[in-house]
Amino acid sequence: MSISHSSNSLKAVTLTHVRYQRGDRLGHFLAWVSLIPVFISLGGFVSHILFRRELQVIFFACGLIASQFINEVIKTSVQQSRPETCALLEMCDSHGWPSSHSQYMFFFAIYFALLSILRSRTPKLLLATLPWPLAILTMYSRVYLGYHTVAQVFAGAALGLLLGAIWFWMVNYVLIGYFPAIEESSIGRLLYLKDCSHIPNVLKFEYDNARAARTRMAARKLSAD
């Protein structure tokens, strides 16, 4: 991929510094696509952990963090340069192999897909396929925008798939046995950590309990009056 960039023709998505060619609508779209890992981390995991406190999600997030740490260790050890286009973007201050964006998204996609197949009662195939287009678009965006080579994004994708599958197995077939103990621990009680793995339909469970609680409160109010 050969792109001729000049400093005057480069434009960054505001507050993100993901650069694309000025006037390139596809590049602008892919610059936002490239930020999907940020949106998932901040908008998805942080908010979900703060307000839901589910152990499955917490361990999912821990796996992604560990995956990114492994990515950084590999990058530092291998020290493979990014493509020349990345130097022209003036935003590349780390090594390129494997792509951390691709690794993140494919880890997320495989874990999400396997979890959907294991636990969801909605059409499992449909739910399991949802993250894959985003993962592929993110991988493509890193090459199109000049931040990585094709080999670097495929290496990240392969590593993400491998680590995601291994971590899913570890959490859902080994560590899940410790969830009740974590839930009942002093820290678990203090932080309101909970395990919903045994509930077939969490949405319906919470809906039914919310309605039941409201009915009980209304009955107590009537009896008090």
Side-chain angles (χ1 to χ4, degrees), residues 22-65:
R22 186 183 297 276
D24 183 357
R25 292 185 179 181
L26 177 58
H28 188 195
F29 168 72
L30 291 174
W32 283 107
V33 167
S34 186
L35 296 170
I36 289 175
V38 177
F39 300 146
I40 291 174
S41 297
L42 299 181
F45 282 105
V46 171
S47 61
H48 198 95
I49 290 171
L50 284 175
F51 296 106
R52 305 287 300 172
R53 316 291 176 90
E54 289 189 27
L55 289 171
Q56 179 70 240
V57 176
I58 292 171
F59 276 85
F60 191 170
C62 287
L64 280 166
I65 293 171

mmCIF file of all heavy atoms in Angstrom, residues 22-65:
data_model
loop_
_atom_site.group_PDB
_atom_site.id
_atom_site.type_symbol
_atom_site.label_atom_id
_atom_site.label_comp_id
_atom_site.label_asym_id
_atom_site.label_seq_id
_atom_site.Cartn_x
_atom_site.Cartn_y
_atom_site.Cartn_z
ATOM 1 N N ARG A 22 -7.273 14.015 4.372
ATOM 2 C CA ARG A 22 -8.316 15.027 4.300
ATOM 3 C C ARG A 22 -9.165 14.831 3.041
ATOM 4 O O ARG A 22 -8.638 14.651 1.942
ATOM 5 C CB ARG A 22 -7.689 16.423 4.285
ATOM 6 C CG ARG A 22 -8.709 17.566 4.363
ATOM 7 C CD ARG A 22 -8.008 18.911 4.278
ATOM 8 N NE ARG A 22 -7.109 19.117 5.391
ATOM 9 C CZ ARG A 22 -7.465 19.587 6.587
ATOM 10 N NH1 ARG A 22 -8.748 19.878 6.817
ATOM 11 N NH2 ARG A 22 -6.583 19.742 7.544
ATOM 12 N N GLY A 23 -10.473 14.848 3.216
ATOM 13 C CA GLY A 23 -11.373 14.664 2.089
ATOM 14 C C GLY A 23 -11.710 13.210 1.793
ATOM 15 O O GLY A 23 -12.568 12.934 0.952
ATOM 16 N N ASP A 24 -11.062 12.281 2.465
ATOM 17 C CA ASP A 24 -11.301 10.856 2.244
ATOM 18 C C ASP A 24 -12.423 10.410 3.182
ATOM 19 O O ASP A 24 -12.213 10.163 4.362
ATOM 20 C CB ASP A 24 -10.019 10.071 2.525
ATOM 21 C CG ASP A 24 -10.162 8.583 2.258
ATOM 22 O OD1 ASP A 24 -11.280 8.147 1.912
ATOM 23 O OD2 ASP A 24 -9.166 7.857 2.410
ATOM 24 N N ARG A 25 -13.632 10.271 2.644
ATOM 25 C CA ARG A 25 -14.780 9.914 3.473
ATOM 26 C C ARG A 25 -14.654 8.504 4.045
ATOM 27 O O ARG A 25 -15.034 8.258 5.192
ATOM 28 C CB ARG A 25 -16.071 10.047 2.662
ATOM 29 C CG ARG A 25 -16.407 11.487 2.296
ATOM 30 C CD ARG A 25 -17.746 11.571 1.592
ATOM 31 N NE ARG A 25 -18.074 12.950 1.274
ATOM 32 C CZ ARG A 25 -19.214 13.329 0.675
ATOM 33 N NH1 ARG A 25 -20.106 12.399 0.337
ATOM 34 N NH2 ARG A 25 -19.440 14.605 0.417
ATOM 35 N N LEU A 26 -14.145 7.588 3.227
ATOM 36 C CA LEU A 26 -13.940 6.236 3.730
ATOM 37 C C LEU A 26 -12.898 6.238 4.842
ATOM 38 O O LEU A 26 -13.054 5.570 5.864
ATOM 39 C CB LEU A 26 -13.499 5.303 2.600
ATOM 40 C CG LEU A 26 -13.181 3.857 3.010
ATOM 41 C CD1 LEU A 26 -14.387 3.190 3.669
ATOM 42 C CD2 LEU A 26 -12.703 3.045 1.812
ATOM 43 N N GLY A 27 -11.820 7.025 4.638
ATOM 44 C CA GLY A 27 -10.799 7.133 5.671
ATOM 45 C C GLY A 27 -11.356 7.719 6.956
ATOM 46 O O GLY A 27 -10.993 7.284 8.056
ATOM 47 N N HIS A 28 -12.238 8.708 6.829
ATOM 48 C CA HIS A 28 -12.869 9.314 8.008
ATOM 49 C C HIS A 28 -13.704 8.279 8.755
ATOM 50 O O HIS A 28 -13.630 8.157 9.989
ATOM 51 C CB HIS A 28 -13.752 10.483 7.567
ATOM 52 C CG HIS A 28 -14.300 11.283 8.706
ATOM 53 N ND1 HIS A 28 -15.329 12.175 8.563
ATOM 54 C CD2 HIS A 28 -13.961 11.318 10.030
ATOM 55 C CE1 HIS A 28 -15.606 12.726 9.734
ATOM 56 N NE2 HIS A 28 -14.787 12.222 10.638
ATOM 57 N N PHE A 29 -14.501 7.506 8.002
ATOM 58 C CA PHE A 29 -15.315 6.445 8.602
ATOM 59 C C PHE A 29 -14.433 5.405 9.291
ATOM 60 O O PHE A 29 -14.694 5.001 10.425
ATOM 61 C CB PHE A 29 -16.169 5.784 7.506
ATOM 62 C CG PHE A 29 -16.833 4.514 7.948
ATOM 63 C CD1 PHE A 29 -17.894 4.533 8.845
ATOM 64 C CD2 PHE A 29 -16.391 3.288 7.454
ATOM 65 C CE1 PHE A 29 -18.497 3.351 9.256
ATOM 66 C CE2 PHE A 29 -17.005 2.104 7.854
ATOM 67 C CZ PHE A 29 -18.051 2.144 8.762
ATOM 68 N N LEU A 30 -13.371 4.978 8.626
ATOM 69 C CA LEU A 30 -12.494 3.954 9.184
ATOM 70 C C LEU A 30 -11.696 4.473 10.379
ATOM 71 O O LEU A 30 -11.290 3.698 11.245
ATOM 72 C CB LEU A 30 -11.559 3.413 8.108
ATOM 73 C CG LEU A 30 -12.247 2.589 7.011
ATOM 74 C CD1 LEU A 30 -11.252 2.211 5.915
ATOM 75 C CD2 LEU A 30 -12.893 1.334 7.604
ATOM 76 N N ALA A 31 -11.458 5.788 10.422
ATOM 77 C CA ALA A 31 -10.790 6.369 11.594
ATOM 78 C C ALA A 31 -11.660 6.178 12.833
ATOM 79 O O ALA A 31 -11.158 5.861 13.916
ATOM 80 C CB ALA A 31 -10.499 7.846 11.361
ATOM 81 N N TRP A 32 -12.963 6.352 12.667
ATOM 82 C CA TRP A 32 -13.876 6.107 13.784
ATOM 83 C C TRP A 32 -13.978 4.617 14.091
ATOM 84 O O TRP A 32 -14.052 4.214 15.259
ATOM 85 C CB TRP A 32 -15.259 6.690 13.479
ATOM 86 C CG TRP A 32 -15.308 8.175 13.638
ATOM 87 C CD1 TRP A 32 -15.367 9.118 12.655
ATOM 88 C CD2 TRP A 32 -15.269 8.898 14.871
ATOM 89 N NE1 TRP A 32 -15.376 10.377 13.187
ATOM 90 C CE2 TRP A 32 -15.318 10.285 14.547
ATOM 91 C CE3 TRP A 32 -15.197 8.524 16.210
ATOM 92 C CZ2 TRP A 32 -15.305 11.276 15.523
ATOM 93 C CZ3 TRP A 32 -15.182 9.519 17.182
ATOM 94 C CH2 TRP A 32 -15.235 10.870 16.834
ATOM 95 N N VAL A 33 -13.986 3.799 13.051
ATOM 96 C CA VAL A 33 -14.010 2.347 13.248
ATOM 97 C C VAL A 33 -12.806 1.904 14.062
ATOM 98 O O VAL A 33 -12.899 1.041 14.935
ATOM 99 C CB VAL A 33 -14.033 1.615 11.887
ATOM 100 C CG1 VAL A 33 -13.734 0.122 12.061
ATOM 101 C CG2 VAL A 33 -15.380 1.802 11.208
ATOM 102 N N SER A 34 -11.661 2.531 13.790
ATOM 103 C CA SER A 34 -10.427 2.182 14.484
ATOM 104 C C SER A 34 -10.518 2.429 15.986
ATOM 105 O O SER A 34 -9.727 1.894 16.762
ATOM 106 C CB SER A 34 -9.264 2.993 13.880
ATOM 107 O OG SER A 34 -8.036 2.598 14.426
ATOM 108 N N LEU A 35 -11.506 3.232 16.392
ATOM 109 C CA LEU A 35 -11.669 3.559 17.810
ATOM 110 C C LEU A 35 -12.672 2.654 18.520
ATOM 111 O O LEU A 35 -12.967 2.859 19.690
ATOM 112 C CB LEU A 35 -12.121 5.024 17.943
ATOM 113 C CG LEU A 35 -11.109 6.047 17.457
ATOM 114 C CD1 LEU A 35 -11.741 7.433 17.412
ATOM 115 C CD2 LEU A 35 -9.892 6.065 18.361
ATOM 116 N N ILE A 36 -13.178 1.649 17.829
ATOM 117 C CA ILE A 36 -14.150 0.745 18.441
ATOM 118 C C ILE A 36 -13.623 0.114 19.732
ATOM 119 O O ILE A 36 -14.373 0.006 20.714
ATOM 120 C CB ILE A 36 -14.586 -0.339 17.435
ATOM 121 C CG1 ILE A 36 -15.476 0.290 16.352
ATOM 122 C CG2 ILE A 36 -15.346 -1.473 18.132
ATOM 123 C CD1 ILE A 36 -15.860 -0.660 15.241
ATOM 124 N N PRO A 37 -12.337 -0.319 19.802
ATOM 125 C CA PRO A 37 -11.844 -0.849 21.085
ATOM 126 C C PRO A 37 -11.982 0.139 22.237
ATOM 127 O O PRO A 37 -12.266 -0.266 23.381
ATOM 128 C CB PRO A 37 -10.368 -1.153 20.789
ATOM 129 C CG PRO A 37 -10.344 -1.435 19.323
ATOM 130 C CD PRO A 37 -11.327 -0.479 18.728
ATOM 131 N N VAL A 38 -11.804 1.429 21.954
ATOM 132 C CA VAL A 38 -11.958 2.448 22.997
ATOM 133 C C VAL A 38 -13.411 2.526 23.437
ATOM 134 O O VAL A 38 -13.720 2.584 24.635
ATOM 135 C CB VAL A 38 -11.476 3.827 22.491
ATOM 136 C CG1 VAL A 38 -11.699 4.898 23.554
ATOM 137 C CG2 VAL A 38 -10.016 3.764 22.087
ATOM 138 N N PHE A 39 -14.324 2.520 22.463
ATOM 139 C CA PHE A 39 -15.745 2.590 22.791
ATOM 140 C C PHE A 39 -16.191 1.372 23.588
ATOM 141 O O PHE A 39 -16.975 1.491 24.535
ATOM 142 C CB PHE A 39 -16.576 2.700 21.503
ATOM 143 C CG PHE A 39 -16.271 3.911 20.677
ATOM 144 C CD1 PHE A 39 -16.345 3.860 19.296
ATOM 145 C CD2 PHE A 39 -15.901 5.101 21.270
ATOM 146 C CE1 PHE A 39 -16.071 4.980 18.518
ATOM 147 C CE2 PHE A 39 -15.613 6.231 20.510
ATOM 148 C CZ PHE A 39 -15.704 6.164 19.129
ATOM 149 N N ILE A 40 -15.701 0.197 23.208
ATOM 150 C CA ILE A 40 -16.061 -1.021 23.935
ATOM 151 C C ILE A 40 -15.530 -0.969 25.365
ATOM 152 O O ILE A 40 -16.233 -1.303 26.328
ATOM 153 C CB ILE A 40 -15.508 -2.265 23.212
ATOM 154 C CG1 ILE A 40 -16.258 -2.492 21.885
ATOM 155 C CG2 ILE A 40 -15.630 -3.513 24.096
ATOM 156 C CD1 ILE A 40 -15.686 -3.621 21.044
ATOM 157 N N SER A 41 -14.280 -0.520 25.515
ATOM 158 C CA SER A 41 -13.665 -0.492 26.838
ATOM 159 C C SER A 41 -14.350 0.504 27.760
ATOM 160 O O SER A 41 -14.717 0.169 28.895
ATOM 161 C CB SER A 41 -12.174 -0.143 26.718
ATOM 162 O OG SER A 41 -11.487 -1.138 25.993
ATOM 163 N N LEU A 42 -14.523 1.746 27.278
ATOM 164 C CA LEU A 42 -15.080 2.798 28.123
ATOM 165 C C LEU A 42 -16.603 2.733 28.192
ATOM 166 O O LEU A 42 -17.185 2.752 29.273
ATOM 167 C CB LEU A 42 -14.635 4.171 27.622
ATOM 168 C CG LEU A 42 -13.129 4.426 27.625
ATOM 169 C CD1 LEU A 42 -12.813 5.829 27.124
ATOM 170 C CD2 LEU A 42 -12.548 4.236 29.025
ATOM 171 N N GLY A 43 -17.240 2.659 27.021
ATOM 172 C CA GLY A 43 -18.695 2.656 27.004
ATOM 173 C C GLY A 43 -19.299 1.331 27.412
ATOM 174 O O GLY A 43 -20.401 1.287 27.967
ATOM 175 N N GLY A 44 -18.594 0.243 27.154
ATOM 176 C CA GLY A 44 -19.129 -1.074 27.459
ATOM 177 C C GLY A 44 -18.677 -1.614 28.791
ATOM 178 O O GLY A 44 -19.463 -1.711 29.745
ATOM 179 N N PHE A 45 -17.395 -1.944 28.892
ATOM 180 C CA PHE A 45 -16.906 -2.636 30.085
ATOM 181 C C PHE A 45 -16.903 -1.758 31.331
ATOM 182 O O PHE A 45 -17.355 -2.196 32.395
ATOM 183 C CB PHE A 45 -15.504 -3.191 29.828
ATOM 184 C CG PHE A 45 -15.511 -4.445 29.020
ATOM 185 C CD1 PHE A 45 -15.131 -4.435 27.691
ATOM 186 C CD2 PHE A 45 -15.922 -5.649 29.569
ATOM 187 C CE1 PHE A 45 -15.145 -5.597 26.932
ATOM 188 C CE2 PHE A 45 -15.948 -6.818 28.822
ATOM 189 C CZ PHE A 45 -15.560 -6.780 27.496
ATOM 190 N N VAL A 46 -16.399 -0.531 31.222
ATOM 191 C CA VAL A 46 -16.331 0.320 32.415
ATOM 192 C C VAL A 46 -17.723 0.584 32.974
ATOM 193 O O VAL A 46 -17.970 0.428 34.179
ATOM 194 C CB VAL A 46 -15.607 1.641 32.095
ATOM 195 C CG1 VAL A 46 -15.726 2.611 33.272
ATOM 196 C CG2 VAL A 46 -14.137 1.385 31.775
ATOM 197 N N SER A 47 -18.664 0.965 32.095
ATOM 198 C CA SER A 47 -20.018 1.251 32.570
ATOM 199 C C SER A 47 -20.699 -0.010 33.091
ATOM 200 O O SER A 47 -21.402 0.025 34.107
ATOM 201 C CB SER A 47 -20.847 1.886 31.448
ATOM 202 O OG SER A 47 -20.951 1.011 30.347
ATOM 203 N N HIS A 48 -20.485 -1.133 32.412
ATOM 204 C CA HIS A 48 -21.129 -2.380 32.840
ATOM 205 C C HIS A 48 -20.588 -2.844 34.195
ATOM 206 O O HIS A 48 -21.353 -3.279 35.059
ATOM 207 C CB HIS A 48 -20.899 -3.472 31.792
ATOM 208 C CG HIS A 48 -21.845 -4.614 31.911
ATOM 209 N ND1 HIS A 48 -23.007 -4.704 31.193
ATOM 210 C CD2 HIS A 48 -21.823 -5.729 32.703
ATOM 211 C CE1 HIS A 48 -23.656 -5.812 31.508
ATOM 212 N NE2 HIS A 48 -22.953 -6.458 32.419
ATOM 213 N N ILE A 49 -19.276 -2.734 34.355
ATOM 214 C CA ILE A 49 -18.688 -3.151 35.628
ATOM 215 C C ILE A 49 -19.125 -2.230 36.764
ATOM 216 O O ILE A 49 -19.445 -2.684 37.874
ATOM 217 C CB ILE A 49 -17.147 -3.192 35.519
ATOM 218 C CG1 ILE A 49 -16.726 -4.362 34.602
ATOM 219 C CG2 ILE A 49 -16.503 -3.335 36.890
ATOM 220 C CD1 ILE A 49 -15.261 -4.375 34.256
ATOM 221 N N LEU A 50 -19.185 -0.937 36.506
ATOM 222 C CA LEU A 50 -19.584 0.016 37.540
ATOM 223 C C LEU A 50 -21.027 -0.188 37.982
ATOM 224 O O LEU A 50 -21.341 -0.116 39.172
ATOM 225 C CB LEU A 50 -19.395 1.450 37.046
ATOM 226 C CG LEU A 50 -17.965 1.986 37.007
ATOM 227 C CD1 LEU A 50 -17.947 3.371 36.386
ATOM 228 C CD2 LEU A 50 -17.367 2.033 38.416
ATOM 229 N N PHE A 51 -21.909 -0.443 37.021
ATOM 230 C CA PHE A 51 -23.328 -0.474 37.340
ATOM 231 C C PHE A 51 -23.927 -1.877 37.454
ATOM 232 O O PHE A 51 -25.014 -2.027 38.007
ATOM 233 C CB PHE A 51 -24.115 0.321 36.293
ATOM 234 C CG PHE A 51 -23.771 1.782 36.290
ATOM 235 C CD1 PHE A 51 -23.003 2.327 35.268
ATOM 236 C CD2 PHE A 51 -24.184 2.618 37.318
ATOM 237 C CE1 PHE A 51 -22.668 3.669 35.267
ATOM 238 C CE2 PHE A 51 -23.855 3.962 37.324
ATOM 239 C CZ PHE A 51 -23.088 4.495 36.299
ATOM 240 N N ARG A 52 -23.219 -2.897 36.944
ATOM 241 C CA ARG A 52 -23.767 -4.249 36.988
ATOM 242 C C ARG A 52 -22.995 -5.184 37.924
ATOM 243 O O ARG A 52 -23.587 -6.051 38.541
ATOM 244 C CB ARG A 52 -23.759 -4.853 35.574
ATOM 245 C CG ARG A 52 -24.482 -4.019 34.545
ATOM 246 C CD ARG A 52 -25.964 -4.081 34.708
ATOM 247 N NE ARG A 52 -26.451 -5.443 34.580
ATOM 248 C CZ ARG A 52 -27.706 -5.804 34.829
ATOM 249 N NH1 ARG A 52 -28.569 -4.923 35.232
ATOM 250 N NH2 ARG A 52 -28.084 -7.063 34.681
ATOM 251 N N ARG A 53 -21.696 -5.034 37.976
ATOM 252 C CA ARG A 53 -20.830 -5.802 38.888
ATOM 253 C C ARG A 53 -20.879 -7.314 38.631
ATOM 254 O O ARG A 53 -20.768 -8.103 39.572
ATOM 255 C CB ARG A 53 -21.179 -5.527 40.357
ATOM 256 C CG ARG A 53 -21.419 -4.070 40.716
ATOM 257 C CD ARG A 53 -20.159 -3.246 40.641
ATOM 258 N NE ARG A 53 -20.427 -1.856 40.891
ATOM 259 C CZ ARG A 53 -20.395 -1.273 42.094
ATOM 260 N NH1 ARG A 53 -20.098 -1.997 43.154
ATOM 261 N NH2 ARG A 53 -20.645 0.004 42.234
ATOM 262 N N GLU A 54 -21.088 -7.732 37.395
ATOM 263 C CA GLU A 54 -21.162 -9.154 37.084
ATOM 264 C C GLU A 54 -19.767 -9.744 36.916
ATOM 265 O O GLU A 54 -18.930 -9.194 36.208
ATOM 266 C CB GLU A 54 -21.979 -9.378 35.814
ATOM 267 C CG GLU A 54 -23.466 -9.120 35.990
ATOM 268 C CD GLU A 54 -24.263 -9.552 34.774
ATOM 269 O OE1 GLU A 54 -23.808 -10.468 34.070
ATOM 270 O OE2 GLU A 54 -25.333 -8.966 34.540
ATOM 271 N N LEU A 55 -19.531 -10.876 37.546
ATOM 272 C CA LEU A 55 -18.212 -11.501 37.517
ATOM 273 C C LEU A 55 -17.820 -11.957 36.110
ATOM 274 O O LEU A 55 -16.650 -11.877 35.741
ATOM 275 C CB LEU A 55 -18.183 -12.695 38.482
ATOM 276 C CG LEU A 55 -18.208 -12.322 39.966
ATOM 277 C CD1 LEU A 55 -18.406 -13.560 40.824
ATOM 278 C CD2 LEU A 55 -16.927 -11.613 40.356
ATOM 279 N N GLN A 56 -18.766 -12.432 35.318
ATOM 280 C CA GLN A 56 -18.455 -12.855 33.957
ATOM 281 C C GLN A 56 -17.860 -11.693 33.159
ATOM 282 O O GLN A 56 -16.857 -11.854 32.460
ATOM 283 C CB GLN A 56 -19.720 -13.365 33.266
ATOM 284 C CG GLN A 56 -19.527 -13.803 31.830
ATOM 285 C CD GLN A 56 -18.717 -15.065 31.683
ATOM 286 O OE1 GLN A 56 -17.660 -15.037 31.041
ATOM 287 N NE2 GLN A 56 -19.179 -16.161 32.254
ATOM 288 N N VAL A 57 -18.457 -10.523 33.291
ATOM 289 C CA VAL A 57 -17.978 -9.341 32.558
ATOM 290 C C VAL A 57 -16.633 -8.887 33.104
ATOM 291 O O VAL A 57 -15.740 -8.487 32.343
ATOM 292 C CB VAL A 57 -19.010 -8.203 32.640
ATOM 293 C CG1 VAL A 57 -18.485 -6.942 31.957
ATOM 294 C CG2 VAL A 57 -20.327 -8.636 32.004
ATOM 295 N N ILE A 58 -16.468 -8.943 34.414
ATOM 296 C CA ILE A 58 -15.205 -8.537 35.027
ATOM 297 C C ILE A 58 -14.062 -9.431 34.546
ATOM 298 O O ILE A 58 -12.987 -8.947 34.181
ATOM 299 C CB ILE A 58 -15.311 -8.576 36.568
ATOM 300 C CG1 ILE A 58 -16.278 -7.485 37.047
ATOM 301 C CG2 ILE A 58 -13.936 -8.408 37.212
ATOM 302 C CD1 ILE A 58 -16.614 -7.565 38.514
ATOM 303 N N PHE A 59 -14.306 -10.736 34.494
ATOM 304 C CA PHE A 59 -13.264 -11.649 34.024
ATOM 305 C C PHE A 59 -13.040 -11.519 32.526
ATOM 306 O O PHE A 59 -11.921 -11.697 32.050
ATOM 307 C CB PHE A 59 -13.620 -13.093 34.402
ATOM 308 C CG PHE A 59 -13.216 -13.457 35.801
ATOM 309 C CD1 PHE A 59 -14.031 -13.164 36.883
ATOM 310 C CD2 PHE A 59 -11.997 -14.078 36.036
ATOM 311 C CE1 PHE A 59 -13.647 -13.479 38.170
ATOM 312 C CE2 PHE A 59 -11.599 -14.403 37.320
ATOM 313 C CZ PHE A 59 -12.427 -14.107 38.396
ATOM 314 N N PHE A 60 -14.076 -11.217 31.774
ATOM 315 C CA PHE A 60 -13.951 -10.924 30.344
ATOM 316 C C PHE A 60 -13.002 -9.747 30.151
ATOM 317 O O PHE A 60 -12.051 -9.793 29.354
ATOM 318 C CB PHE A 60 -15.348 -10.614 29.794
ATOM 319 C CG PHE A 60 -15.445 -10.538 28.284
ATOM 320 C CD1 PHE A 60 -16.699 -10.470 27.693
ATOM 321 C CD2 PHE A 60 -14.319 -10.529 27.456
ATOM 322 C CE1 PHE A 60 -16.839 -10.397 26.307
ATOM 323 C CE2 PHE A 60 -14.444 -10.453 26.069
ATOM 324 C CZ PHE A 60 -15.705 -10.379 25.499
ATOM 325 N N ALA A 61 -13.233 -8.684 30.922
ATOM 326 C CA ALA A 61 -12.394 -7.486 30.829
ATOM 327 C C ALA A 61 -10.954 -7.775 31.258
ATOM 328 O O ALA A 61 -10.004 -7.283 30.644
ATOM 329 C CB ALA A 61 -12.986 -6.363 31.684
ATOM 330 N N CYS A 62 -10.799 -8.582 32.296
ATOM 331 C CA CYS A 62 -9.449 -8.939 32.755
ATOM 332 C C CYS A 62 -8.682 -9.679 31.663
ATOM 333 O O CYS A 62 -7.476 -9.482 31.479
ATOM 334 C CB CYS A 62 -9.532 -9.798 34.007
ATOM 335 S SG CYS A 62 -10.023 -8.902 35.494
ATOM 336 N N GLY A 63 -9.385 -10.541 30.920
ATOM 337 C CA GLY A 63 -8.754 -11.250 29.819
ATOM 338 C C GLY A 63 -8.282 -10.312 28.728
ATOM 339 O O GLY A 63 -7.191 -10.479 28.172
ATOM 340 N N LEU A 64 -9.095 -9.315 28.408
ATOM 341 C CA LEU A 64 -8.706 -8.328 27.391
ATOM 342 C C LEU A 64 -7.487 -7.524 27.845
ATOM 343 O O LEU A 64 -6.588 -7.240 27.041
ATOM 344 C CB LEU A 64 -9.880 -7.385 27.106
ATOM 345 C CG LEU A 64 -10.958 -7.931 26.170
ATOM 346 C CD1 LEU A 64 -12.211 -7.064 26.251
ATOM 347 C CD2 LEU A 64 -10.436 -7.985 24.738
ATOM 348 N N ILE A 65 -7.452 -7.169 29.120
ATOM 349 C CA ILE A 65 -6.304 -6.426 29.651
ATOM 350 C C ILE A 65 -5.041 -7.279 29.571
ATOM 351 O O ILE A 65 -3.979 -6.816 29.161
ATOM 352 C CB ILE A 65 -6.576 -5.988 31.101
ATOM 353 C CG1 ILE A 65 -7.697 -4.943 31.138
ATOM 354 C CG2 ILE A 65 -5.301 -5.421 31.749
ATOM 355 C CD1 ILE A 65 -8.186 -4.614 32.533
#
